[in-house]
């Protein structure tokens, strides 16, 4: 049994790091918590395995580690709601094309099918997804040290003194920062890629082809083929994701 535990340790640590990494940044405290949960999972499932080979056992344990660490990550990063609610909200995020505020609306509509949430539950899931933040935390320690806090930035945007800020001031500032970062990342794409992403989501001044049109119509309007639209979109999505996440880390 000791040999089996030792043999699974590298797998446990790898999965823990995978689940604790966001935008190329690893939360090492979370990784350690996930690793400990993974070790407990190995102990619990040793007696439940009914296969015959080492490879079968490792595949079996890997599936259980994924399940355990996914749920543990949801609990750690989505406080106040159940893992099921966190998962449902992520489905709503897909329906809302990544907009968390629109996702809170979508989560309480018939679009969710049997997973429809009450408005209050959806709002709780939204707050959990946004996460708890502190106006006193340094904005970006690597760039500014401890001199500039998140509260300083929010104060400069709202025009209020730092000591008068509260949570209601933070949300509009956060949304403004997200909007600015979206347009900044779009501005770094090629003209074709930028136009296609704007068309997919109806970002002004481009018409919303994602909601009301098709790739064929978009291709005709741009003077290219539907295949070129598809290829440019794939590249644009990957590039936009990289640029947006890199910029978001400064916030």
């Amino acid at each position: 049994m000791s040999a089996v535990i030792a043999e699974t340790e590298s797998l446990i640590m790898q999965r823990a790091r995978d689940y604790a990494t966001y935008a190329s940044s690893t939360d090492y405290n979370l990784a350690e918590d996930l690793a400990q949960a993974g070790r407990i999972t190995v102990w619990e499932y040793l007696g439940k395995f009914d296969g015959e080979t080492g490879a079968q056992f490792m595949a079996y344990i890997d599936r259980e580690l994924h399940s355990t660490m996914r749920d543990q990550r949801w609990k750690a990063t989505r406080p106040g709601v159940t893992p099921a609610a966190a998962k449902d909200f992520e489905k709503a995020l897909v329906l809302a094309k990544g907009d968390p505020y629109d996702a809170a609306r979508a989560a309480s509509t018939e679009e969710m099918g049997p997973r429809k949430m009450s408005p209050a539950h959806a709002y709780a899931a939204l707050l959990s997804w946004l996460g708890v933040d502190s106006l006193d935390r340094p904005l970006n320690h690597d760039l500014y040290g401890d001199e500039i806090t998140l509260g300083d930035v929010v104060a400069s945007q709202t025009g209020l003194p730092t000591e008068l800020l509260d949570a209601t001031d933070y949300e509009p500032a956060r949304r403004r920062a997200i909007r600015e970062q979206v347009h900044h990342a779009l501005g770094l794409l090629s003209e074709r890629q930028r136009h296609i992403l704007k068309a997919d989501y109806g970002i002004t001044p481009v018409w919303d082809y994602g909601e009301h049109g098709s790739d064929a119509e978009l291709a005709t309007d741009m003077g290219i083929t539907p295949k070129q639209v598809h290829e440019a979109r794939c590249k644009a999505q990957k590039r936009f994701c990289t640029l947006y996440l890199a910029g978001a880390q400064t916030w």
Side-chain angles (χ1 to χ4, degrees):
M1 185 174 292
S2 297
V4 171
I5 295 296
E7 189 67 22
T8 58
E9 182 64 16
S10 61
L11 176 63
I12 290 171
M13 293 305 300
Q14 180 59 54
R15 293 292 174 260
R17 285 191 292 269
D18 290 344
Y19 274 98
T21 298
Y22 307 88
S24 301
S25 179
T26 302
D27 183 336
Y28 291 101
N29 289 329
L30 176 58
E32 184 51 43
D33 289 343
L34 294 177
Q36 185 59 27
R39 296 182 190 106
I40 294 172
T41 296
V42 172
W43 277 100
E44 290 178 342
Y45 282 86
L46 271 174
K48 300 179 182 180
F49 175 66
D50 59 1
E52 298 179 353
T53 69
Q56 289 174 337
F57 175 76
M58 294 301 282
Y60 168 76
I61 286 297
D62 197 17
R63 287 194 299 271
E64 299 304 330
L65 289 176
H66 276 294
S67 178
T68 295
M69 292 185 185
R70 179 196 60 210
D71 291 348
Q72 286 293 115
R73 183 187 66 182
W74 274 333
K75 289 179 182 179
T77 60
R78 306 288 187 267
V81 297
T82 64
K87 184 176 182 180
D88 290 343
F89 190 75
E90 290 185 4
K91 176 182 177 181
L93 275 170
V94 174
L95 294 174
K97 299 179 180 178
D99 184 328
Y101 297 93
D102 195 34
R105 179 204 60 78
S108 59
T109 68
E110 300 301 327
E111 294 178 87
M112 291 289 288
R115 305 305 303 173
K116 177 182 176 181
M117 307 166 75
S118 70
H121 199 184
Y123 184 67
L126 167 66
L127 295 181
S128 178
W129 187 89
L130 290 175
V132 178
D133 212 337
S134 169
L135 292 172
D136 294 325
R137 74 164 169 85
L139 178 65
N140 187 308
H141 183 81
D142 292 340
L143 291 178
Y144 313 115
D146 296 328
E147 298 301 316
I148 301 178
T149 67
L150 178 60
D152 293 328
V153 176
V154 176
S156 69
Q157 293 184 356
T158 60
L160 292 172
T162 305
E163 60 271 16
L164 298 182
L165 293 175
D166 59 27
T168 60
D169 301 308
Y170 171 67
E171 185 172 306
R174 180 189 179 98
R175 296 192 69 174
R176 187 181 302 110
I178 290 173
R179 183 170 60 251
E180 290 174 354
Q181 182 56 28
V182 165
H183 284 279
H184 176 70
L186 285 171
L188 296 176
L189 301 177
S190 70
E191 182 177 352
R192 176 180 292 184
Q193 291 175 353
R194 179 168 59 254
H195 188 89
I196 289 172
L197 286 192
K198 285 187 173 183
D200 283 348
Y201 298 100
I203 298 175
T204 305
V206 183
W207 191 60
D208 188 353
Y209 287 81
E211 185 72 23
H212 307 291
S214 67
D215 279 4
E217 293 174 296
L218 177 58
T220 298
D221 290 344
M222 294 181 66
I224 59 178
T225 66
K227 181 180 179 181
Q228 288 174 312
V229 169
H230 176 73
E231 291 174 346
R233 177 183 291 117
C234 290
K235 293 179 180 178
Q237 289 172 340
K238 292 179 181 178
R239 180 64 176 153
F240 176 85
C241 182
T242 299
L243 292 169
Y244 179 83
L245 292 176
Q249 290 180 26
T250 65
W251 174 254

